[in-house]
Amino acid sequence: MISREPTLERLATAKSLLLDPFGLDETHLAKALGEIRAHRVDEADLYFQYTRSEGWSLEEGIVKTGSFSIDQGVGVRAVSGEKTAFAYSDDISEASLLDAARTVRTIGAGGAGRVKVAPRKVAGSRSLYGGVDPISSLDSTAKVQLLERMEKMARARDSRIKQVMAGLASEYDVVLVARADGTIAADIRPLVRMSVTVIAEQDGRREMGSGGGGGRFGLAYFDGARIESYVSDAVTAALTNLESRPAPAGEMTVVLGPGWPGILLHEAVGHGLEGDFNRKGSSAFSGRVGQRVAARGVTVLDDGTIADRRGSLNVDDEGNTTQRNVLIEDGILRGYIQDSLNARLMGVAPTGNGRRESYAHIPMPRMTNTYMLGGERNPAEIVASIKKGLYATNFGGGQVDITSGKFVFSASEAFWVENGKILYPVKGATIVGNGPDALTRVSMIGNDMKLDTGVGTCGKEGQSVPVGVGQPTLRIDGLTVGGTA
């Protein structure tokens, strides 16, 4: 049997789902792009998408809900200068394609003259994950049994666990991108996620804990050991919070644990390094490339090339190959993450970060997997260095103001430390600070860099996309903690 190169295999699969059933081929795509380029535009693209998704949820020992959906359509975009014209349709046909093309081309000046046919070129690609359809990787009975198994594990861990909620989600996403410069690209993106939330009760007090993970693979990933780790995380968090006391408030040393606490880095720093905010001068990091923006030893990357990760992509949603982008190196700002539009206007190359929620949305610069590299310090040594302060190992919600860099985050699992000793868990701690300023206050970096388990979803301007975060244990001096004590 002769197999095709993975990039060509993905392209063939995308055509079979998105073009062939509707009587379309690449000549029709070229015709639609030619209609747009009959006016003077800087960029134009077509984004076809087919998505099949399924979800199951368990509560009170019963799988109460199940869902299944199929969505498909095409988005047509033209860009002139800073302006974007966009149209989309769930009707994939030559007529709707040409109608959308004629609509969006009005953004550009007329009379471009004779349109030259751009030479066809298949975009460079990676093979970061397989083209498996996770929905069909297990039958419905097996999926229900996974959730029931998780529920039984959680209740068996401790008699104080009174409620268990579990969920399993699968998605099979196929995209095809055709650009006016002749580039054509495709990707097949599996995505799965398992989650568990437990409620523990003791002496009339109820507390919650959660766990879970996932990535770009099939459901076989969720074996017994994996499920056990998710349950352990959830149960441990809930039982820890049963013992928590009100959090002290004030300015203090804060140590962040590894892995998911990188969500603070994602929000407080990552968004501020997206190209659109910096092109417009609205980010606290605008115009600071080449300057010191963080303490020595702080190196921050956005990397869309990590195999099987939730935030990774073979190509971005503009057909550009994803990259390992060094944003901050040893405290020095090296660059921003870019889509095609903002890269062109800033005179730099795209970084493979053009992302959109679906065919019904325009692309913009978005993070993939954003994390800080590890240092040389032992994590236990970092915690032991705290005279009086907070050790935060998990986070809930948070928000950031891009212009000022100010952020507020709530710690869902944290501990009060005195003289290097963890004394007791605390509840109600909120961490307040300024992203660029906080980076300069990093005084110790652990050697335990860890990525999150695969649960992150990032929102921006009404669009949600899957992302990853990560970091080592970090000591940050002089952060403000809002507490309840």
Side-chain angles (χ1 to χ4, degrees), residues 253-475:
T253 297
V254 174
V255 170
L256 306 178
W260 179 248
I263 189 66
L264 190 149
L265 181 75
H266 168 103
E267 295 287 355
V269 178
H271 278 297
L273 297 178
E274 291 170 336
D276 48 357
F277 298 126
N278 287 281
R279 176 177 65 82
K280 298 170 184 176
S282 58
S283 168
F285 293 98
S286 297
R288 300 188 65 188
V289 172
Q291 298 180 18
R292 177 164 297 282
V293 296
R296 294 187 184 277
V298 172
T299 296
V300 178
L301 290 80
D302 184 88
D303 187 354
T305 72
I306 309 173
D308 297 329
R309 293 296 304 178
R310 181 174 171 84
S312 295
L313 300 168
N314 287 316
V315 293
D316 72 2
D317 293 327
E318 297 180 302
N320 295 312
T321 306
T322 51
Q323 299 178 27
R324 182 179 186 270
N325 299 296
V326 179
L327 305 177
I328 298 172
E329 184 178 27
D330 197 22
I332 306 299
L333 181 60
R334 296 302 184 195
Y336 309 116
I337 59 177
Q338 302 283 6
D339 63 348
S340 294
L341 183 154
N342 289 283
R344 173 175 53 81
L345 293 173
M346 295 180 75
V348 296
T351 60
N353 290 90
R355 304 191 65 187
R356 56 179 110 197
E357 180 177 322
S358 76
Y359 68 87
H361 300 83
I362 61 172
M364 61 181 84
R366 304 290 300 271
M367 285 172 275
T368 56
N369 304 297
T370 309
Y371 57 95
M372 183 186 296
L373 294 184
E376 299 178 352
R377 308 301 284 267
N378 185 294
E381 175 191 3
I382 297 176
V383 175
S385 73
I386 304 173
K387 186 174 182 181
K388 278 190 178 183
L390 193 74
Y391 176 38
T393 56
N394 207 351
F395 281 92
Q399 59 186 16
V400 62
D401 180 276
I402 299 298
T403 303
S404 66
K406 292 180 180 178
F407 62 81
V408 179
F409 275 87
S410 60
S412 59
E413 189 175 2
F415 303 85
W416 182 248
V417 181
E418 289 188 17
N419 297 318
K421 302 294 184 183
I422 297 176
L423 298 184
Y424 51 82
V426 297
K427 185 179 180 181
T430 58
I431 298 177
V432 183
N434 175 283
D437 177 64
L439 285 182
T440 67
R441 295 173 180 265
V442 174
S443 58
M444 299 178 79
I445 303 174
N447 59 10
D448 59 342
M449 200 292 285
K450 184 172 72 171
L451 297 172
D452 76 290
T453 57
V455 297
T457 298
C458 173
K460 177 180 176 181
E461 297 183 21
Q463 293 192 43
S464 296
V465 296
V467 296
V469 301
Q471 68 172 42
T473 297
L474 293 178
R475 171 175 162 150

Side-chain angles (χ1 to χ4, degrees), residues 4-17 19 26 120-123 174-177 184-188:
R4 281 178 286 199
E5 190 273 333
T7 298
L8 298 179
E9 189 67 45
R10 288 191 288 267
L11 186 57
T13 300
K15 288 180 179 179
S16 71
L17 281 171
L19 300 185
E26 289 190 41
R120 178 186 187 272
K121 53 183 177 181
V122 177
V174 181
V175 301
L176 176 68
V177 183
I184 189 162
D187 201 4
I188 300 171

Side-chain angles (χ1 to χ4, degrees), residues 107-256:
I107 196 172
R114 184 177 179 182
V115 178
K116 295 181 180 179
V117 178
R120 178 186 187 272
K121 53 183 177 181
V122 177
S125 183
R126 301 183 182 277
S127 294
L128 303 173
Y129 36 83
V132 61
D133 177 1
I135 296 174
S136 62
S137 63
L138 282 182
D139 62 30
S140 297
T141 300
K143 294 168 187 173
V144 170
Q145 289 173 345
L146 276 179
L147 296 180
E148 291 175 340
R149 184 179 184 183
M150 177 175 277
E151 196 256 358
K152 290 176 182 176
M153 279 185 181
R155 291 187 181 277
R157 286 290 296 268
D158 196 284
S159 61
R160 290 171 288 179
I161 301 301
K162 301 303 182 184
Q163 290 186 40
V164 180
M165 291 78 75
L168 183 65
S170 308
E171 183 177 284
Y172 179 68
D173 190 35
V174 181
V175 301
L176 176 68
V177 183
R179 299 203 310 242
D181 65 2
T183 299
I184 189 162
D187 201 4
I188 300 171
R189 302 168 177 170
L191 189 64
V192 297
R193 177 177 172 177
M194 176 176 269
S195 60
V196 59
T197 299
V198 303
I199 296 176
E201 184 174 355
Q202 176 179 279
D203 300 328
R205 179 176 179 177
R206 294 164 67 88
E207 294 291 347
M208 186 170 64
S210 61
R216 297 196 179 278
F217 29 65
L219 294 172
Y221 177 79
F222 300 120
D223 58 15
R226 194 83 54 186
I227 295 173
E228 182 70 41
S229 71
Y230 298 158
V231 168
S232 178
D233 289 343
V235 171
T236 299
L239 297 182
T240 297
N241 285 329
L242 281 177
E243 309 297 328
S244 63
R245 306 180 193 179
E251 186 175 291
M252 64 186 72
T253 297
V254 174
V255 170
L256 306 178

